């Protein structure tokens, strides 16, 4: 049998009508459990998978919907339904950009919360499939969570950010390495030579901090006259750890994972910014007028939808064997926490 098994091939092997096969593959209760299991076993044996885009289009026809409004799911798993939205947290909001790009491509992006009362992964997946939804954008996970269990083989899926580590899906995120490289280059351009790195606040993805720190170390090492300083490590008592580090390393500029606490600590020490010490904010807090590299969350959300639609069109479902990563490079924001560069620099 060819690997490209059709719906009719499965119907012939199972001795049923092709419409029965279609319903059985969607686990429809109209079909007996025995027939559903038999058809699903044949589909698995012969490598047949439902094409997610075709399935979604067929569902829209069955329900009288318009084809251009095929739905995609934006999946979140915060403790509360809206915990992922501003102002409940200070992380970038990718949802509006994802919604807009989905509409431009002829889709409707809807929010689904995994924390609904009584929800299980099977029930959640069944609800999506029954609505003809086979494409998932996975939103950032809350701090302390790094995994999500779903029946991935039933969907095409793309994750936002780097919080989801199990399973490893295709994902779209900021170019964190380039962000830190830009920060060091800007400091060097302005004459800073003792450029320190500070883990100033816990991040929801440890891998982000690793990329920031790696880029900082390499960039300082490659600079001819810059001094390599030990980074200020993460610590339970962050301010005291910072005080000890600051007195020992004597930085003239600080690249901080989050600038807000560092600005407060420097204030407690009587250090003026940027006159005595410059500060760059890697997290690019929009509420702090700090030198930073800023990424457009609308573009990141839109890129995730574009990647997802491509997966659906290519009939790529499940956890990928070779994970792809799309990185959006940010734009330098001057802010008030670095002295200005020399004229002509």
């Amino acid at each position: 049998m060819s690997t490209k098994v059709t719906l009719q091939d499965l119907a012939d092997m199972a001795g049923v009508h092709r419409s029965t096969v279609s319903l059985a593959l969607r686990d429809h209760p109209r079909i007996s459990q025995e027939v559903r299991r038999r058809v699903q076993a044949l589909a698995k044996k012969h490598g047949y998978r439902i094409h997610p885009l075709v399935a979604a289009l067929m569902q829209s026809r069955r329900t009288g919907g318009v084809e251009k409004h095929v739905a995609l799911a934006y999946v979140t798993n915060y403790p509360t339904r809206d915990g992922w939205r501003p102002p409940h947290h200070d992380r970038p909001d990718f949802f509006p950009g994802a919604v807009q790009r989905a509409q431009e491509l002829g889709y409707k992006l809807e929010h689904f919360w995994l924390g609904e009362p009584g929800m299980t992964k099977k029930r959640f997946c069944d609800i999506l499939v029954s609505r003809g939804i086979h494409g998932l954008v996975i939103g950032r996970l809350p701090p302390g969570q790094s995994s999500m269990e779903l029946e991935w083989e039933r969907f095409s899926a793309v994750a936002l950010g780097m919080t989801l580590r199990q399973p490893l899906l295709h994902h779209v995120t900021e170019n964190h390495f380039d962000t830190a490289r830009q920060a060091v280059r800007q400091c060097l351009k302005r004459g800073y030579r003792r450029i320190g790195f500070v883990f100033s606040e816990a991040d929801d993805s440890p891998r982000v901090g690793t990329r920031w720190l790696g880029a900082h170390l390499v960039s300082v090492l490659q600079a001819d006259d810059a001094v390599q300083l030990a980074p200020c490590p993460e610590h339970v008592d962050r301010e005291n750890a910072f005080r000890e580090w600051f007195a020992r390393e004597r930085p003239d500029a600080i690249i901080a994972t989050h600038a807000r606490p560092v600005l407060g600590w420097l204030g407690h020490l009587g250090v003026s910014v940027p006159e005595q010490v410059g500060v760059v904010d890697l997290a690019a807090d929009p509420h702090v007028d700090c030198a930073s590299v800023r990424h457009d969350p609308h573009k990141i959300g839109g890129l995730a939808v574009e990647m997802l639609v491509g997966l659906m069109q290519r009939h790529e479902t499940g956890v990928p064997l070779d994970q792809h990563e799309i990185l959006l490079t940010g734009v330098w924001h001057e802010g008030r926490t670095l002295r200005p560069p020399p004229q002509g620099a």
Side-chain angles (χ1 to χ4, degrees), residues 47-193:
Y48 179 85
R49 293 182 296 176
I50 301 173
H51 193 298
L53 185 57
V54 172
L57 292 172
M58 292 303 294
Q59 175 69 10
S60 69
R61 290 177 178 175
R62 285 192 294 269
T63 57
V66 182
E67 287 186 15
K68 70 176 183 178
H69 294 311
V70 170
L72 308 172
Y74 189 94
V75 181
T76 66
N77 198 29
Y78 267 68
T80 61
R81 182 190 302 275
D82 295 319
W84 56 279
R85 297 178 187 265
H88 303 289
H89 71 94
D90 60 357
R91 300 299 188 252
D93 185 8
F94 304 125
F95 186 66
V99 169
Q100 179 180 334
R101 190 61 180 137
Q103 291 174 343
E104 292 169 353
L105 295 175
Y107 296 84
K108 179 181 179 182
L109 184 66
E110 301 180 37
H111 173 229
F112 288 84
W113 182 42
L114 269 170
E116 296 284 357
M119 187 63 70
T120 65
K121 70 173 184 178
K122 177 167 176 50
R123 183 184 175 202
F124 185 79
C125 295
D126 286 346
I127 290 172
L128 294 179
V129 172
S130 69
R131 293 189 52 183
I133 297 175
H134 294 266
L136 313 180
V137 175
I138 308 299
R140 293 170 67 135
L141 300 181
Q145 187 179 134
S146 60
S147 64
M148 180 181 290
E149 292 187 16
L150 292 177
E151 296 175 346
W152 298 107
E153 67 278 2
R154 303 172 73 177
F155 304 98
S156 300
V158 172
L160 282 163
M162 297 175 63
T163 55
L164 180 64
R165 300 198 296 278
Q166 183 61 39
L168 286 177
L169 302 177
H170 300 309
H171 68 276
V172 180
T173 189
E174 302 96 329
N175 189 342
H176 300 100
F177 194 90
D178 182 79
T179 294
R181 285 190 69 98
Q182 284 198 55
V184 173
R185 285 198 297 267
Q186 289 290 342
C187 289
L188 292 170
K189 183 188 299 185
R190 297 151 202 267
Y192 298 105
R193 290 298 178 266

Side-chain angles (χ1 to χ4, degrees), residues 77-340:
N77 198 29
Y78 267 68
T80 61
R81 182 190 302 275
D82 295 319
W84 56 279
R85 297 178 187 265
H88 303 289
H89 71 94
D90 60 357
R91 300 299 188 252
D93 185 8
F94 304 125
F95 186 66
V99 169
Q100 179 180 334
R101 190 61 180 137
Q103 291 174 343
E104 292 169 353
L105 295 175
Y107 296 84
K108 179 181 179 182
L109 184 66
E110 301 180 37
H111 173 229
F112 288 84
W113 182 42
L114 269 170
E116 296 284 357
M119 187 63 70
T120 65
K121 70 173 184 178
K122 177 167 176 50
R123 183 184 175 202
F124 185 79
C125 295
D126 286 346
I127 290 172
L128 294 179
V129 172
S130 69
R131 293 189 52 183
I133 297 175
H134 294 266
L136 313 180
V137 175
I138 308 299
R140 293 170 67 135
L141 300 181
Q145 187 179 134
S146 60
S147 64
M148 180 181 290
E149 292 187 16
L150 292 177
E151 296 175 346
W152 298 107
E153 67 278 2
R154 303 172 73 177
F155 304 98
S156 300
V158 172
L160 282 163
M162 297 175 63
T163 55
L164 180 64
R165 300 198 296 278
Q166 183 61 39
L168 286 177
L169 302 177
H170 300 309
H171 68 276
V172 180
T173 189
E174 302 96 329
N175 189 342
H176 300 100
F177 194 90
D178 182 79
T179 294
R181 285 190 69 98
Q182 284 198 55
V184 173
R185 285 198 297 267
Q186 289 290 342
C187 289
L188 292 170
K189 183 188 299 185
R190 297 151 202 267
Y192 298 105
R193 290 298 178 266
R194 300 184 64 86
I195 306 167
F197 185 95
V198 176
F199 285 100
S200 48
E201 187 176 301
D203 198 84
D204 54 11
S205 175
R207 293 186 296 168
V208 171
T210 300
R211 292 187 179 191
W212 279 336
L213 177 58
H216 169 269
L217 294 174
V218 169
S219 300
V220 172
L221 186 64
Q222 291 176 340
D224 293 336
D225 53 351
V227 180
Q228 193 92 39
L229 306 182
C232 182
E234 294 182 86
H235 196 277
V236 174
D237 189 349
R238 293 179 188 273
E239 183 166 2
N240 278 341
F242 174 81
R243 285 172 176 268
E244 295 173 4
W245 172 83
F246 187 84
R248 183 178 64 252
E249 300 295 335
R250 297 177 292 107
D252 59 7
I254 293 172
I255 295 177
T257 59
H258 299 80
R260 191 192 296 260
V262 169
L263 293 173
W265 300 338
L266 290 172
H268 297 163
L269 291 172
V271 176
S272 61
V273 177
E275 291 77 15
Q276 293 176 278
V277 173
V279 176
V280 180
D281 183 15
L282 291 175
D285 185 343
H287 305 296
V288 180
D289 186 16
C290 194
S292 60
V293 176
R294 299 196 171 179
H295 301 81
D296 187 346
H298 276 68
K299 290 182 179 178
I300 294 175
L303 285 170
V305 170
E306 291 178 10
M307 191 179 199
L308 176 61
V309 170
L311 294 176
M312 295 174 68
Q313 290 175 343
R314 295 190 300 273
H315 191 190
E316 296 179 20
T317 59
V319 178
L321 294 177
D322 54 341
Q323 177 215 36
H324 296 172
E325 179 179 66
I326 294 179
L327 303 177
L328 181 68
T329 298
V331 178
W332 177 254
H333 172 75
E334 197 61 32
R336 63 171 183 81
T337 55
L338 286 185
R339 59 191 178 221

